[in-house]
Amino acid sequence: MSQSQHYKFQAEQAKRLARQVTDSAVRERLLEMAGEYGRYAELMEARERPREPAFG
């Protein structure tokens, strides 16, 4: 599992848990965490992509 896949999985897990909890403060924090994990996934995807050679 790549790092980006790992963070996507964590984001989905946090969203799933947020749908299940009844405490609004916990739900809000889980959704914040899901957003953070999603951003990490995007950063990791950018790092994992092959770079194109620069032409000067």
Side-chain angles (χ1 to χ4, degrees):
M1 175 181 286
S2 70
Q3 286 185 328
S4 63
Q5 290 171 327
H6 169 76
Y7 285 118
K8 284 180 183 181
F9 176 77
Q10 294 301 326
E12 289 305 314
Q13 290 289 92
K15 288 177 192 176
R16 184 183 59 78
L17 287 171
R19 287 190 297 269
Q20 295 176 355
V21 298
T22 56
D23 185 306
S24 62
V26 173
R27 182 182 308 115
E28 184 177 325
R29 182 61 187 127
L30 284 165
L31 292 173
E32 288 173 9
M33 290 170 59
E36 291 170 11
Y37 282 129
R39 287 188 288 280
Y40 290 145
E42 290 173 1
L43 290 171
M44 293 301 112
E45 283 179 345
R47 283 185 175 181
E48 293 166 359
R49 259 185 245 126
R51 296 178 186 241
E52 295 183 18
F55 295 100

